[in-house]
Amino acid sequence: MAFNSRVFHVIFIYTLVWHLGCVTFSLCSEEDIACLRALKHSLEDPLNRLTWSFDNLTAASLCKLNGVECWNDNDNDIRLNRLSLVDMGLKGLFPRGIRNCSYLTHLDLSGNNLFGPIPEDIAYLLRFCVRLDLSNNRFSGEIPSSISNVTYLNILMLDNNLLTGQIPKGIVDLPRIKEFSVSNNMLSGPVPNFVNLNISDESYANNSGLCGGPLEPCKYRRWKFDYSFKSGFLIGYVISTAAAVTVFISYCFPWVAEQGKKKITIAAMVLLMIKRMNKKYEADQLNQSPPLCRQLKIAEADQVGKEIAKLENLIARMNLAFISNVTNNFSEDNVIGMGQMGTMYKSTLSNGQPLAVKKLHDCPYLEEQFMFELKTLVRLRQSHNLVQLLGFCLESNERLLAYEYMSNGNLYDWLHPAEGEPRRNMEWPLRVKIATGVARGLAWLHHKFEIVHLDISSKCILLDHNFESKLSNFKQSTHLNPNGECDSTKEFCGNREFWHLDFIKEDIHSFGLVVLELITGKEPSEIDKSSYSFERSTHLSESSSKFPGYAIDKSLIGQGFDDEILQLLEVASQCVHPFPHERPTMLQVYKSLSKMIMEDEVPEIGEITETE
């Protein structure tokens, strides 16, 4: 019995030591290691508080790093499940490398200097997150709608940031939510109506635009209703009506003619309408919904490689280390703009030349968009009044585009300064110069390259140091090849005349709204509502020089430019004409505007002729 007892104790002690050894010396998950490395690499640590070392990759070592907590899963594997990096003074964008921490349930990044948008694909990055605290940072933009897909969330703290827009309606569908706060932001609209959760007004405090729930009741106008419902109803109505018309007319008239030009079948017209709406829907999804990250198929990757090889002969391919160096490792201090697709940085080359570098988010879904914009801008290089692409980088899953730097920003910021900023004076001759430059750029697009922009606004009109206007943001553009075949990147197939009528005339209408914005100084949304008064003003040239106070920017009145303002109003009214076929071409618009400035200031537009 004594012998058996000793044997039992030896076996027990050996087993205990073996299990302790496994826990002590087992390696941490490769995913968790990659997560921590990416997180440390992507964030600036000016206070040197993120003292993580990866010399020892055992679980026992990594799980003792400051802010890191681990747990054992059912297979006795040690996994990282909590990150608490509170009040460390960290700087940078939301660390997308967090997606590698696939067992993460708690993430607390509060009390730092993180900035930029909360990622649209937050539900993909934090699939099992129970507690998310991003409070007391400088996150901006809208709360992504996909936050409602992080279904395990119990606690969501977004207070004390710079968030704008409305709180996503779907957030009420979070089944486990217990704590929620968005106080001290710049949010607007109705607050969520949680079914089994009472949220106090303190959670919404200091958001002057919020209403409903524990706050003041929302004031709705009867004629307004949900935009998404209205859009869906309208699109459904148009498609169903068009389909009915198609069935009826196809039997009676197999074709219709457009102003004596090439015949267009009704069926082709309906298909083009549906394709145009699908294109708009895809663009909205890119801007509003979480991008669906997916790995490129081998065939797709091979095709991208072949296209990149061709492009290298046309434009400079830059080294990632070089771009990282000139942007100071993509420092926050170099950020000049942020969007749904990526972040824009200012950089300066050794010869003093400034660059604007757009770094796309780390998501393979954006590969197609990167390739399209790259190929489009390469095709448009050396064109007038279009932003110039100077180089690109595709390396280590990083996608970057380098543009000429536009020191005077965009037209929108000049016309509509942010709250608290002084209004910047823009004289009338400068406004005419900007409008003429935009018209010239669009004339090149339409008549030289047969490209439509489809997203013209004052925000995409950039101004260089001489206030020369340049068109940017080609993510929604569409083009035909010179031989009329469909472009393989942004596929568009259809009748050429209808293409001109539908797409080009849409660009011209948008340009007209920008011109009205230049004349009135009003916000684009206000211009869109009031532009019908201009559309119906078919005799503007016969009007007196006394303008209605609401119509003209007050800083322009009485400066001796009344006649020119009337001329530009006439051009704008033609561009926003309710019937597309009545709108002029951009070449006609450019020639009209050119007559308003000195002859020696009018740039030649080259050998461009009407294509309609």
Side-chain angles (χ1 to χ4, degrees):
M1 288 292 295
F3 174 76
N4 290 338
S5 178
R6 284 196 298 272
V7 170
F8 173 78
H9 280 93
V10 168
I11 294 174
F12 174 78
I13 293 173
Y14 176 81
T15 302
L16 179 63
V17 170
W18 185 83
H19 278 287
L20 288 174
C22 288
V23 172
T24 305
F25 298 106
S26 62
L27 294 178
C28 198
S29 162
E30 291 184 3
E31 286 186 344
D32 291 343
I33 295 172
C35 174
L36 296 177
R37 285 184 187 275
L39 194 148
K40 183 175 182 180
H41 176 73
S42 63
L43 297 177
E44 295 183 48
D45 183 20
L47 303 180
N48 197 30
R49 291 180 178 175
L50 199 62
T51 55
W52 290 352
S53 173
F54 299 99
D55 296 335
N56 186 347
L57 299 181
T58 61
S61 175
L62 292 181
C63 291
K64 291 180 180 179
L65 296 177
N66 57 327
V68 178
E69 294 184 32
C70 303
W71 72 302
N72 288 1
D73 64 13
N74 294 332
D75 296 325
N76 206 34
D77 292 331
I78 300 177
R79 302 302 301 263
L80 187 157
N81 78 313
R82 297 189 181 210
L83 274 176
S84 181
L85 308 178
V86 181
D87 295 329
M88 289 190 170
L90 303 174
K91 294 183 178 181
L93 299 171
F94 185 94
R96 295 186 59 81
I98 205 77
R99 67 182 182 276
N100 290 316
C101 290
S102 54
Y103 281 73
L104 190 68
T105 59
H106 291 64
L107 178 63
D108 191 343
L109 300 175
S110 60
N112 289 289
N113 290 310
L114 304 180
F115 59 95
I118 299 174
E120 284 290 320
D121 55 342
I122 189 73
Y124 166 75
L125 302 177
L126 300 171
R127 303 174 191 173
F128 305 110
C129 192
V130 175
R131 177 189 177 95
L132 177 60
D133 193 341
L134 303 179
S135 61
N136 296 288
N137 281 284
R138 290 188 292 124
F139 287 110
S140 58
E142 298 186 358
I143 301 173
S145 58
S146 66
I147 198 79
S148 59
N149 294 327
V150 188
T151 54
Y152 293 96
L153 270 180
N154 282 207
I155 300 172
L156 177 59
M157 311 300 288
L158 303 175
D159 45 291
N160 294 289
N161 281 286
L162 303 172
L163 299 172
T164 57
Q166 297 191 5
I167 301 174
K169 295 180 181 179
I171 210 163
V172 300
D173 297 326
L174 289 171
R176 299 174 175 85
I177 193 72
K178 296 178 181 177
E179 292 184 37
F180 174 70
S181 177
V182 290
S183 60
N184 299 301
N185 281 284
M186 296 179 286
L187 298 168
S188 59
V191 301
N193 183 21
F194 292 101
V195 178
N196 298 317
L197 180 65
N198 292 322
I199 301 292
S200 69
D201 57 355
E202 294 180 357
S203 296
Y204 303 119
N206 297 319
N207 289 276
S208 58
L210 289 180
C211 59
L215 306 176
E216 292 292 325
C218 296
K219 298 178 180 179
Y220 293 104
R221 295 181 182 178
R222 292 185 177 181
W223 57 268
K224 281 192 174 182
F225 55 100
D226 183 70
Y227 177 79
S228 61
F229 172 80
K230 180 171 65 175
S231 300
F233 176 81
L234 225 94
I235 291 174
Y237 177 79
V238 169
I239 292 177
S240 59
T241 303
V245 172
T246 301
V247 173
F248 173 75
I249 299 183
S250 293
Y251 281 102
C252 302
F253 308 99
W255 52 264
V256 294
E258 181 201 354
Q259 298 179 349
K261 297 181 181 180
K262 186 176 179 180
K263 297 174 181 179
I264 311 169
T265 64
I266 294 292
M269 187 181 298
V270 173
L271 288 174
L272 282 170
M273 293 168 63
I274 296 174
K275 180 179 279 289
R276 179 69 187 98
M277 284 184 274
N278 284 340
K279 184 178 180 67
K280 176 64 177 172
Y281 172 78
E282 291 170 0
D284 291 342
Q285 291 299 303
L286 182 61
N287 289 330
Q288 299 176 9
S289 302
L292 178 61
C293 289
R294 62 179 180 85
Q295 296 296 326
L296 291 177
K297 297 178 181 179
I298 296 177
E300 293 174 329
D302 289 343
Q303 181 62 28
V304 169
K306 293 177 181 178
E307 292 176 344
I308 289 293
K310 294 178 181 178
L311 293 172
E312 287 179 352
N313 298 322
L314 302 173
I315 196 165
R317 181 170 186 173
M318 298 178 171
N319 183 276
L320 178 60
F322 168 77
I323 297 181
S324 180
N325 181 57
V326 297
T327 58
N328 194 20
N329 196 26
F330 301 103
S331 168
E332 172 193 354
D333 297 334
N334 291 60
V335 173
I336 56 176
M338 289 169 286
Q340 299 293 337
M341 292 178 54
T343 304
M344 189 75 77
Y345 298 85
K346 181 185 177 181
S347 62
T348 305
L349 303 181
S350 57
N351 62 1
Q353 179 185 2
L355 291 179
V357 177
K358 180 162 72 174
K359 181 182 181 185
L360 274 69
H361 293 316
D362 182 16
C363 180
Y365 177 80
L366 297 175
E367 185 83 42
E368 180 182 354
Q369 182 59 44
F370 169 79
M371 289 302 302
F372 173 71
E373 190 162 347
L374 175 58
K375 291 195 293 184
T376 299
L377 290 174
V378 166
R379 184 182 177 192
L380 298 176
R381 67 192 186 283
Q382 306 303 321
S383 298
H384 300 282
N385 297 100
L386 306 176
V387 69
Q388 296 298 298
L389 183 70
L390 303 179
F392 73 98
C393 175
L394 182 60
E395 183 179 334
S396 302
N397 293 325
E398 296 285 4
R399 292 174 290 279
L400 304 106
L401 296 168
Y403 307 88
E404 59 178 331
Y405 177 67
M406 309 297 285
S407 58
N408 276 311
N410 64 57
L411 177 60
Y412 179 89
D413 290 340
W414 274 87
L415 296 175
H416 316 288
E419 185 176 352
E421 292 186 2
R423 180 179 175 86
R424 293 185 280 189
N425 188 32
M426 181 173 279
E427 300 291 344
W428 175 252
L430 182 56
R431 300 190 192 210
V432 176
K433 175 183 177 179
I434 291 171
T436 305
V438 176
R440 188 185 188 209
L442 278 173
W444 272 93
L445 280 180
H446 292 178
H447 301 285
K448 184 71 173 180
F449 297 102
E450 293 192 345
I451 292 177
V452 283
H453 190 281
L454 298 180
D455 195 22
I456 299 296
S457 72
S458 57
K459 290 184 178 181
C460 76
I461 298 171
L462 305 182
L463 307 172
D464 68 8
H465 62 288
N466 290 323
F467 284 91
E468 289 291 341
S469 51
K470 305 285 184 77
L471 283 173
S472 66
N473 192 9
F474 290 86
K475 66 181 181 181
Q476 291 192 42
S477 62
T478 301
H479 59 86
L480 292 174
N481 290 328
N483 59 4
E485 295 178 357
C486 294
D487 182 271
S488 59
T489 312
K490 291 278 185 174
E491 183 179 3
F492 174 82
C493 300
N495 183 278
R496 183 174 177 136
E497 280 73 25
F498 191 77
W499 177 75
H500 281 119
L501 176 64
D502 183 38
F503 283 24
I504 284 186
K505 299 303 184 179
E506 181 177 332
D507 267 2
I508 295 168
H509 185 274
S510 298
F511 171 80
L513 293 180
V514 171
V515 174
L516 292 176
E517 192 176 346
L518 279 166
I519 296 173
T520 65
K522 289 180 174 288
E523 287 276 352
S525 57
E526 298 172 351
I527 292 292
D528 200 18
K529 294 173 184 176
S530 63
S531 62
Y532 293 103
S533 62
F534 293 105
E535 292 174 358
R536 295 186 178 94
S537 300
T538 57
H539 302 290
L540 281 172
S541 59
E542 300 175 3
S543 303
S544 67
S545 60
K546 292 184 178 180
F547 308 107
Y550 67 89
I552 305 299
D553 191 329
K554 294 180 180 179
S555 66
L556 301 176
I557 298 177
Q559 300 298 316
F561 300 108
D562 290 2
D563 290 339
E564 289 190 9
I565 294 175
L566 281 172
Q567 291 179 46
L568 199 56
L569 273 172
E570 176 66 29
V571 172
S573 68
Q574 293 172 0
C575 291
V576 297
H577 197 287
F579 299 108
H581 66 274
E582 294 291 338
R583 298 169 192 164
T585 67
M586 282 315 304
L587 189 56
Q588 292 170 340
V589 170
Y590 173 70
K591 290 179 178 178
S592 297
L593 296 183
S594 297
K595 296 176 183 178
M596 297 178 62
I597 57 180
M598 299 297 293
E599 288 299 325
D600 57 353
E601 295 179 359
V602 179
E604 292 295 331
I605 199 168
E607 297 297 326
I608 296 181
T609 58
E610 297 284 357
T611 56
E612 290 194 317

